[in-house]
């Protein structure tokens, strides 16, 4: 979602989601007052199928627009990172955040991710983060 914001048809999304679930990718849903409000998911750094015991993964998250600016992203990210570090062989979590997305940059900094450079992803300038540093 953060790098591909064009609409995706429902069937394509369902196939993508089913594939991720079948790979065993750590995927956490958040809710508020019983309503789904966001997710955090992890994938291997090489974007390949999830392999237990990999030391480095990439995190992505999204919060439903209705629930943004309420601290949910920070709580979701901290809880999911803590869980994946404790329950898998993961040692480091990486994130690519659009350089102009101030809200996401602030969230990753609040969660004690360390900015360790910049690059481009799909032609978009991004800040590279790692946790723990």
């Amino acid at each position: 979602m953060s790098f591909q914001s064009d609409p995706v048809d429902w069937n394509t999304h369902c196939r993508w989601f089913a594939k991720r679930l079948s790979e065993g990718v750590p995927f956490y849903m958040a809710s508020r007052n019983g309503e789904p409000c966001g997710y955090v998911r992890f994938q291997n750094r090489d974007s390949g199928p999830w392999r237990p015991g990999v030391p480095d993964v990439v995190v992505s998250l999204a919060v439903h627009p209705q629930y943004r600016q309420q601290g949910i992203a920070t709580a979701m990210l901290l809880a999911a990172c803590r869980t994946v570090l404790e329950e898998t062989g993961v040692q480091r979590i990486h994130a690519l955040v659009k350089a102009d997305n101030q809200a996401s940059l602030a969230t990753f900094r609040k969660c004690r991710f360390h900015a360790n450079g910049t690059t481009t992803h799909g032609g978009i300038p991004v800040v590279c983060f790692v946790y723990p540093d």
Side-chain angles (χ1 to χ4, degrees), residues 63-94:
V63 175
H64 187 284
Q66 172 182 331
Y67 294 98
R68 291 181 183 159
Q69 298 181 336
Q70 298 177 29
I72 291 171
T74 300
M76 285 184 352
L77 185 58
L78 283 171
C81 288
R82 185 176 314 116
T83 300
V84 84
L85 288 171
E86 290 174 359
E87 296 181 2
T88 71
V90 170
Q91 297 171 10
R92 280 173 306 285
I93 302 167
H94 299 265

